[in-house]
Amino acid sequence: MSILEVRGLKKSFGNFDVLRGIDLIVEAGERIAIIGGSGCGKSVFLRCVELLETPNAGQIFVDGEELTAPNVDLDRVRRKLGMVWQKFNLFTHMNVMENLTVAPIKLLGMSPDDAREKAMGLLAQVGLTSKADSYPEFLSGGQQQRIAICRSLMMNPKVILFDEPTSALDPTMVGEVLAVIRMLAKQDLTMLIVTHEMKFAREVSTRILFFADGVIYEQGTPAEIFDAPKRPKTVAFIHKQKYFSYEISERAFDLPKMQGGIQMFAEKYGLSARKTNRLQLCCEELIYDMLDHACEGDAVQISLDVTYAEVDTGVEIKFSCAGKSYNPLDKDFDDEVDEDNLGAMILHNLSKNYSHTFADGVNHIEFALT
């Protein structure tokens, strides 16, 4: 039996549909990382799972019990879910030991001695036994978040929900919190983790959910999502792709404007001067070659799309040109270079993974810069 199941979950704020139908089954021991762009509904989803936000539609089952049922004992079922917030939410008027023991004593009926013993065991796991009597204001952000994780574990939850647990931390403290979550992963705890830490998500999770358009847009193993994403928005997010596009509709097009646009694009994303020069040269030579050999009369319909991937600094060019079928690289480069094949020679030397297709009266060319 699944430990957590979500069926048709929807959530709107006014006319804005944040979640448009989430279906998810979580098995015991799964570690699921939830990734996606800002505002895609990741944190809202977690809040809905614990009913901190009321869904507009859908059902949520925790360990076989429906959390969304009309007459459910909400507090009892909700105890099966642990939540670790972005900003810790420790009780400032209580010391660490009190923060850890108050809920299990009052809600689970645990004796103060047993609660303290368990708390000390958890503090030992996260390296904070010396802070048992300290108050939150005297702890660093990383220490407070480690205490917050221990507080969640004190309730023996079936599932722990982490809502961007490192987003409020100084970069120097992120590592210590991620180390604790890695430790928990080795204990086969069931976890849902909303995170922007892609390297961490890859290392610790058994499954990745990519949120977009109010749904689970794509999901799979870390290798499937990070190495071979299938859908366009996943690809763009994983590779952090940036785009530059330019349209040409006449032979006397504004070359300086296009080259200036490429220059600004390159400077914005830190392309090297060498790669920028190669990009401009390839685009210019390709356009003029197609104008000379593919375009018919004054009819010009050319589209240029440049993609830059921050992950590997790769630059890819997609080019379409209506007219006659023409492949700039379908030439014999053993011949002496002349004006007719100079542009093709430049493309040949500066491109890789080159492809050309012709369909419905349009040439499609794709290649990557060397």
Side-chain angles (χ1 to χ4, degrees), residues 49-174:
V49 167
E50 203 173 13
L51 291 193
L52 298 174
E53 295 284 356
T54 304
N56 296 98
Q59 295 174 288
I60 300 166
F61 297 84
V62 181
D63 199 25
E65 295 189 77
E66 186 181 352
L67 190 61
T68 46
N71 299 317
V72 69
D73 184 345
L74 184 59
D75 289 336
R76 181 183 60 80
V77 180
R78 188 185 273 159
R79 290 171 202 158
K80 298 181 180 182
L81 297 171
M83 188 81 176
V84 178
W85 309 88
Q86 297 179 25
K87 296 185 178 180
F88 329 133
N89 287 359
L90 298 178
F91 298 119
T92 58
H93 65 288
M94 296 182 180
N95 64 27
V96 167
M97 184 55 62
E98 291 167 337
N99 264 281
L100 296 183
T101 59
V102 62
I105 290 173
K106 290 188 174 182
L107 300 178
L108 300 183
M110 191 179 294
S111 72
D113 288 343
D114 288 344
R116 183 174 179 85
E117 182 180 354
K118 181 172 183 176
M120 290 302 292
L122 290 172
L123 289 174
Q125 288 187 52
V126 301
L128 292 175
T129 54
S130 64
K131 302 297 183 180
D133 298 320
S134 299
Y135 283 81
E137 64 181 303
F138 298 108
L139 303 176
S140 70
Q143 290 171 335
Q144 289 188 61
Q145 192 63 294
R146 281 185 278 167
I147 298 300
I149 293 172
C150 289
R151 182 178 60 179
S152 176
L153 293 171
M154 287 291 296
M155 299 296 290
N156 300 317
K158 297 289 185 178
V159 182
I160 305 179
L161 311 175
F162 292 89
D163 185 14
E164 299 189 30
T166 61
S167 64
L169 299 177
D170 184 278
T172 60
M173 301 175 187
V174 170

Side-chain angles (χ1 to χ4, degrees), residues 179-190:
V180 170
I181 300 176
R182 288 189 180 95
M183 176 192 69
L184 298 180
K186 294 178 181 179
Q187 299 175 15
D188 291 328
L189 292 173
T190 307

